[in-house]
Structures are given as structure tokens and as C-alpha cells.
Amino acid sequence: MNYTNWIEYFKHNKQNRPEPDWAAPVNVPPDVLGPMLRSVEQFRLGDGGGPASLIAYDAEGFRSSTEEMRTIVDLWFKEEAEHARLLGCAVKRFGGRIITSHWSFTAFCLCRRVLGVRFELQVLTLTELVSTAYYRMLRKYSPDGPLAAMCELILRDEAGHVAFQRARLVSAGCPLPGLCGLWWWSQFLLCGYAAATVLWVSHAPCLTAIGGSRGEYYAAVTHQLTRFVRSLHRTNKPLRIPALWVKRALAQIEPAK
Ligand SMILES: [Fe+2]
Ligand SMILES: [Fe+2]
């Protein structure tokens, strides 16, 4: 893994970030504003609004593996904190409140803390993939220009984070060949759909109020997860992933509304 390139990437990504016009008039119908605000309030907490660091009991071993890795992890979490700032601006714009606890966030932090840094990094990778599906839908259907502009900035960062996670996994020897590889991507997809479902349970009222559907959301999640797994296999030894089969199977489980 080329640490220098990643440090350069994160430094470069701080530039050219046009701030959304938070002072622009709000023209969102009240029946949409309510669920959208609750969703953004919760997302602010989950996307950088909590502890801006790795919190697994053994995280220090990963962070201090090299001095460069410590720098990269710090730069990554600075971007997560920036997402919380942007989401906080959206919350204020819509007259909401800064929440500091939610059941899904408590469960999220508990998993990260007790199951070790490898699992925490997987949870964070999956969160970034699933959040990308959420932000893409919010950007597509947003009835508010500044909110869509905020999604654009966050999506740009998350694309970099996902690429970093891919590079990190490949340099650690992932995916493993044969049955071990099959087990890895099975559990990765299973955990990914579990994370996606937790997100859907909390944010469906917003996504449906603005015009999205459950089918579209799960299709976007499937696209993110399968593309990520395929990219790992392209980079390493190829193990054929029946992505089309997975897509079709999931389309049957999660039919469009
Ligand atoms: Fe984020
Ligand atoms: Fe991220």
C-alpha cells in the first residue's frame, strides 16, 4: 500500500470544497421536511458526530502499525468529522436539534468497540458503502438545493474512503483464495445487508417521503456491495463472483414498491 499517495490524496481533497448555500430560502413541503429532518439529525450523529477515531479495544495496534498509517487514519476521521459539521449545518437550516444518542448509533459503537479492530474496519467499510446508497438517493430526490450540494461533497469523500478501504484490504492479502475467499465475501455481503437494513429501518420515512423506494434503495446497496467485492477480486486473484445472481436473488427478496 502506497502510504505517501494516500496522505497526498487526503491533503489534496481538502481543497476546492464549495460550501453549500445554507442561507438560501427553504422551500420544502412540511410533510417532507419532518421525516427528512429526523433522518439528517440521525445521520449527523452516525457520520462523524460520535467519536472521530477508531474505538475498538485493540485499535491502537492498527493505528500505530506505521507512522504513515496513523496520519492516514487521522486524515480519514477528520473528513468524517467534516461530514458531521456539514450535516449539522443542514440540521440548523431546517430548524432541527443536534442529537447525541440513538439506539442504532449505540449498537453501532458497541459492535465497533468489543469485536476488535478488524471487525471495526469492516463495519466502517460497510457503513461507507451503505451510506453511499443513502446519500445518492438523498442527492437525487432532495427537494433542497443546499442539501443536495452537501451530499455531493460527502459522496466525493466517501468514494475516496471506499478506495482506501479497498487498498487496505488488498494490501492485507484480501480476498483469500478458494473456500476462505468464498466465506469472506459471503459474510461481507451478509453483514452489508444487515447494515443496510438497520439504515433502512431508521431512514425509510425520509427516503420514501422524498420519492425513493425500498427497491431502489436495496438495488443501490447491491450495486455498491457487489462492485466493491468485484473490485477486490479484480485487483487480486480472480474468484468468480456471481454478482448477477446475487442481484437477481435480492431483487426477488426486496421487490420494488
Ligand atoms: Fe462519512
Ligand atoms: Fe467515510
Side-chain angles (χ1 to χ4, degrees), residues 63 65 74 99 113 133 220 244:
R63 283 187 76 229
S65 54
D74 289 347
I99 61 169
R113 209 178 292 278
L244 197 62

Side-chain angles (χ1 to χ4, degrees), residues 6 9-10 12-17 47 75-76 78-83 86 128 132 150-164:
W6 280 107
Y9 160 77
F10 278 111
H12 183 75
N13 196 41
K14 286 180 186 167
Q15 296 162 16
N16 189 24
R17 301 180 68 88
D47 195 353
L75 289 167
W76 164 28
K78 264 190 188 160
E79 288 196 351
E80 299 300 358
E82 170 63 5
H83 298 171
L86 287 166
E128 291 178 325
T132 296
M150 177 204 76
C151 292
E152 189 71 41
L153 283 173
I154 295 177
L155 281 166
R156 166 177 135 182
D157 296 344
E158 295 301 358
H161 298 180
V162 167
F164 164 65

